[in-house]
Amino acid sequence: MTKPLDGVRIIDFTHVQAGPACTQLLGFYGADVIKVERPGSGDVTRSQLRDLPGADALYFTMLNGNKRSLTLDTKTPEGKEVLEAMIKTSDVLVENFGPGALDRMGFSWERIQELNPKLIMASVKGFSEGHSYEDLKVYENVAQCAGGAASTTGFWDGPPTVSAAALGDSNTGMHLAIGILTALMQRQKTGKGQKVSCSMQDAVLNLCRVKLRDQQRLDKIGYLEEYPQYPHGSFTDVVPRGGNAGGGGQPGWVLKCKGWETDPNAYIYFTIQGHAWEPITRAIGKPEWAKDPAYMTPEARQDKIFDIFKTIEEVDHKVRGKYLTIGSPIKFSDLEIEVKPSPVLGEHTDEVLRDLGYGKEDIARLHAAKAV
Ligand SMILES: CC(C)(COP(=O)(O)OP(=O)(O)OC[C@H]1O[C@@H](n2cnc3c(N)ncnc32)[C@H](O)[C@@H]1OP(=O)(O)O)[C@@H](O)C(=O)NCCC(=O)NCCS
């Protein structure tokens, strides 16, 4: 079966999570993703949080499926020569090194354009170009704080809390994947490649769009009616942390289910949408609340919202082998996605070199120089 990205060759110069999440997604859709790693060590996640001695860690395998692995020391003259050959024959180079690493390696954007003007170069950095922090290296939680997400999670009387969901890492990779696909579409029209970049701060901020909405409303009217502080509590001049509030206009909260005393996940998220109020009153044994002016409308209910939630909680509710991973989060009607295992370090080194036109002797020379 042909796949949408068949024929698209990607130099995957990524590591840890933000970059690998992006290139794995493109691999799911058929791109030939060649992961370039330092000989001997490779991506640091191969050995991070190992659960099986000697096997690549799940951290690596779950972010690097559907790729080939080439070991290459791009700081040696021979390694640079191979990377140049790859740039000349590829469509996209994706990287998430610390700021300036590619330039120091001798592969500035200007140099890449000289080698292949059709190449799309895609980068993840912590902060965008021109930002006063553009030179900083950044990991997940810094991005969650700098992009505003941490200020929205946790409870209003506690400190900002980071989320375990990779809002800075994988989320930025997903944004970058959209950028790469857009640049590929544009290349079809212009014949030219371009530089695409997404900063982790911006990708997090993009997810906090509705909180910026709330800040502007708060600035204007001084309160936010969908937050539990309304109408009795007080607001400061910044949007309060949401706790488990709905935030989308309907009140909601996390409620206990049967077994919550021993099962840490025996909870349900419960939202009271306007039109669902009447059936909810029946389900919780309070049918009289359906017509009671003190409960009938969302505005009337707001100051009793925690009593209502309390009533609902009282209701009685009913060399690794196989590993679990997560496939494409996006589904297609005409594309079956095959999820393949991640490669061991350097598994495809000779194969990729042969693809680039290197003969037996040349390959032996590169091995002898420890460039691959
Ligand atoms: C993630 C991050 C903090 C890790 O930092 P780090 O471990 O110090 O690694 P760097 O990316 O800075 O790379 C270190 C060096 O390895 C070199 N290197 C990497 N692969 C190489 C290879 N195959 N051959 C030779 N050198 C290589 C780089 O060129 C760099 O060299 P230099 O800085 O001495 O010039 C940093 O890469 C970063 O900020 N990336 C951008 C933001 C990002 O993606 N963060 C989220 C990661 S999930």
Side-chain angles (χ1 to χ4, degrees), residues 13 15-18 36-38 72-75 96-99 101 104-105 124-126 136-139 169 200:
F13 223 173
H15 63 158
V16 205
Q17 185 174 171
V36 180
E37 295 169 271
R38 240 188 302 221
L72 194 65
D73 184 340
T74 52
K75 285 188 175 160
N96 69 319
F97 291 128
R104 289 192 290 279
M105 222 180 256
V124 168
K125 295 287 170 267
L136 298 188
K137 295 184 180 184
V138 168
Y139 280 115
D169 285 344
M200 295 166 73

Side-chain angles (χ1 to χ4, degrees), residues 42 188 273 314 372:
Q188 285 177 8
Q273 272 195 309
E314 279 153 11
V372 295

Side-chain angles (χ1 to χ4, degrees), residues 226-231 250-253 255 272 277 295 298 300-312:
E226 72 280 26
Y227 281 74
Q229 287 84 344
Y230 179 82
Q250 300 93 4
W253 203 251
L255 305 181
I272 305 180
W277 177 239
Y295 288 88
R301 287 195 289 274
Q302 184 63 29
D303 63 341
K304 306 171 201 72
I305 206 70
F306 281 109
D307 294 335
I308 297 170
F309 286 143
K310 216 167 147 212
T311 309
I312 296 168

